[in-house]
Amino acid sequence: MFATAARRTLTGLVPPKIATPGAVSSGTTSARTQAVIDFYSKLPKGPLPASERAGGLRGKFFEGANASGKPLLAAIFTLFTVGYVIDYQMHLKHHKNAHH
């Protein structure tokens, strides 16, 4: 029973078979060929509309005409700076009690 329920729910996601011998030999007016034509005619055509494109940092820096590596360089610089500050503070705590 589970296999048939899963099959029923996935039938809309799996495209119909195109090159089956029955579909090819029956001509272009068969119901199966018409189902294939209907399926592919419902697929979106052309580029993705501007309203559905990625926004935020991804859309601003990593896609389109303004694509660059600035966020990656900023992340590396930030991690380096935070690491340096933590290391410096730990070194100051070391010198607080005794000198080397």
Side-chain angles (χ1 to χ4, degrees), residues 23-100:
V24 174
S25 65
S26 63
T28 58
T29 59
S30 70
R32 181 175 237 165
T33 306
Q34 190 60 37
V36 171
I37 293 171
D38 289 339
F39 174 79
Y40 284 103
S41 66
K42 293 177 186 174
L43 293 177
K45 296 168 185 70
L48 192 63
S51 62
E52 295 181 22
R53 290 193 183 130
L57 290 177
R58 179 177 171 203
K60 185 175 181 182
F61 292 109
F62 294 113
E63 294 180 359
N66 297 328
S68 71
K70 288 181 183 179
L72 184 62
L73 292 176
I76 291 170
F77 179 74
T78 302
L79 289 173
F80 175 77
T81 304
V82 168
Y84 181 80
V85 168
I86 290 172
D87 192 37
Y88 185 74
Q89 290 297 322
M90 296 301 247
H91 186 76
L92 287 179
K93 288 180 183 179
H94 169 73
H95 280 287
K96 181 180 174 181
N97 297 327
H99 292 280
H100 352 207

